[in-house]
Every structure is written in structure tokens, then in C-alpha cells.
Amino acid sequence: PTAVLLGQELMAIGVYSGLQAAGLTPGRDLSVIGFRQNPQLRFLSPSLACFGLDIRALGQAVGETVRQIATAGPGDMPRGRIWPMTWVPADSVQPPP
């Protein structure tokens, strides 16, 4: 593989550790991408590429959707949405060849 995309960004700690134990470097030998920007990972070196999203707005939208579901009549169920995410580049991603 040339890259790993983590569904849970805290897994990056284990990935970085495993790569280093194997004599490999994140961002040079394997690109590592976390799911979301997490301030708990700011100590990682190289910095972790990820996606940024507004967690507060997402939580509010989920709450509103639950309210709509609870009060919806037949045929009035809320529609699904695609939540916007922003690419946050960092040194854990290899440049393209």
C-alpha cells in the first residue's frame, strides 16, 4: 500500500509507532490520513493530514434531525445530507510521483 486512511484519527498514534518500529517514516514510506482534525494529535511528527469539520454544527444538525424524526408524519421523514469537510494537508502525505 501507499497510504492508509484512518476511520478513527487517534489510531494514527499506533500507525506511526508501528511504522517507526519497522524502520519506516510516515509521509515518506506511507501516507497516513486521519479522519478528522484532532487537537490531541498536534504532537505527531510529521503532522497528520486529515479533514476539518465543524463538530458543533454537526452536533446541532444531528439534534435537529432527531427532532424532525420525532415529530415527522408519514412521508415527512428528513432527507439525508452530505456533510462538508475540508482537506487539511500535512507532512504525513507523500507528494504524488
Side-chain angles (χ1 to χ4, degrees):
T2 58
V4 61
L5 175 60
L6 305 173
Q8 209 317 324
E9 67 281 349
L10 291 175
M11 293 171 64
I13 298 167
V15 171
Y16 274 43
S17 178
L19 286 172
Q20 290 168 350
L24 303 172
T25 302
R28 185 189 74 205
D29 300 305
L30 181 75
S31 291
V32 182
I33 303 166
F35 174 67
R36 70 178 182 93
Q37 198 169 25
N38 186 328
Q40 293 175 326
L41 299 176
R42 64 183 174 274
F43 68 89
L44 287 178
S45 181
S47 56
L48 182 65
C50 58
F51 296 92
L53 68 151
D54 185 342
I55 295 291
R56 182 182 186 98
L58 178 59
Q60 290 172 337
V62 168
E64 177 61 24
T65 301
V66 169
R67 187 193 64 73
Q68 289 173 359
I69 290 170
T71 60
D76 288 337
M77 294 300 282
R79 299 182 64 120
R81 0 178 159 176
I82 297 173
W83 199 257
M85 298 175 77
T86 307
W87 172 243
V88 180
D91 295 333
S92 69
V93 172
Q94 304 175 32

